[in-house]
Amino acid sequence: MSRLKIEGPCKLEGEVQVHGAKNSTLPLLAASLLCDGECVLHNCPQLSDVEITIQILRHLGCQVKREGSTVVVDSSQIQNWDIPDQLMREMRSSIVFLGAILARMKQAKLSFPGGCELGPRPIDLHLAALKKLGVQIRENHGCLYCSAKHGLWGKSIGLSFPSVGATENIMLAAVLAKGTTIITNAACEPEICDLANFLNAAGGDVKGAGSSTIVIQGVERLHGCEHRVIPDRIAAATLLAAAAITGSNILLREIEPAHLEPILPVFEEAGCQLSIQGRELSIVSPGRLNPVKSVRTMPYPGFPTDAQAPVMAMTCMADGTSVFVENIFESRYKHVGELVRLGARIKVEGRVAVVEGVKHLSGAEVQAADLRGGAALVVAGLAAEGVTQVQNVRYIDRGYESLEHTLTSLGARITRIN
Ligand code: UD1
């Protein structure tokens, strides 16, 4: 099993390009199932989650080629409609394939995603919405058998929570359905807009993405298209946290400033100077950081739950007390115990975590328990004195394209040990 060895503390310096968004790439690759011609996706990050998504496409019968960050999918030969249990277990967000497989094959079989590192991962909203569109769903021994033999029919669907995955699944199922689908209380995340832009480029009719009401007029067919994945706002937030805690100045290239709006005020509150020019963002950290009064994770345009852990790591060495409230996932403080091993002072009470900044962190052996929590340990390890070893790098590889190379290029002393 691989681990990352970090020799801290270090200063970061220089510029780095932010890779494409993992959370966009997965639904976009699922959407390529719906297109009659070749789909060319640029800026696809090299991540284990993306590789699993490609394995699912290949299992279904698609031809998939990757050249650098460009992935080309030809789904004309698709013949299967199931996702093997092992691939479902490796990546629970494979559930986003359900709507696409149903739209294309009128049936689907996959195992129930069950729980994950972040706690229970229910899919009730996905299933209720698909049923409304005309899908019959049977559950047997942890397997979902879905059938839409009479086709999919546009309907009005109100979500009780703006779930990102459910919104994507509805969009994928509805784009080729008969009639109009209206999603109210839809998720507004940038990844939703990216999916809508892709579907529209392929000949779909999706309006309102980015607002809480999305209207999808079903079309007869989608054709192939070329699309560039949006930049990864969470990877950008993680690099900003790394620069902030190490008192560094760095420049991020290829960012989308609007997508970072919910995140940037936290860095300003911590005392960092930010400046945006076009698609570049520079951060100048003051060294000692101010605490951040309260970070409440919320659906977009609120503060993203995925940035909670890396930003918490940053506040571990602030001059005062910071408060976090996790409102999206039940079990998203697994990094706290590990940050404490590095010398952080954090107390968790239910959804609230209180971080009392300390003067120093010190290197220790720690374990990543999930993707963003693992990245938080790297952020803290960069500032900790001595050697930090982060175990279970496979979690980090799910969402960061070779994080150790990115940080080494900025001057960090970080190596992967297999
Ligand atoms: C996506 C992101 C993930 C991010 C999350 C919230 C991908 C691949 N993953 O996950 O990184 O942290 O959005 O921004 O894009 N819920 C239900 N029933 C459902 C669906 C969701 O109760 O049917 C609950 C979840 O348990 C969770 C909340 O709704 O508490 C948000 O989940 P959701 O927005 O669906 O997240 P994902 O799409 O799974």
Side-chain angles (χ1 to χ4, degrees), residues 23 121-126 163-165 305-306 328-329 332:
N23 288 352
R121 207 82 186 240
I123 52 165
D124 53 319
L125 301 174
H126 302 238
S163 154
V164 176
T305 172
D306 288 350
I328 307 293
F329 287 105
R332 210 161 196 185

Side-chain angles (χ1 to χ4, degrees), residues 11 53 62 74-75 90 101 111 139 169 204 207 222 241 244 298 314 382:
K11 272 252 191 265
T53 309
C62 300
D74 174 355
S75 65
E90 279 195 55
I101 297 177
S111 54
E139 199 194 322
N169 246 332
K207 295 195 177 78
L222 294 181
M298 302 286 248
M314 168 187 101
L382 293 170

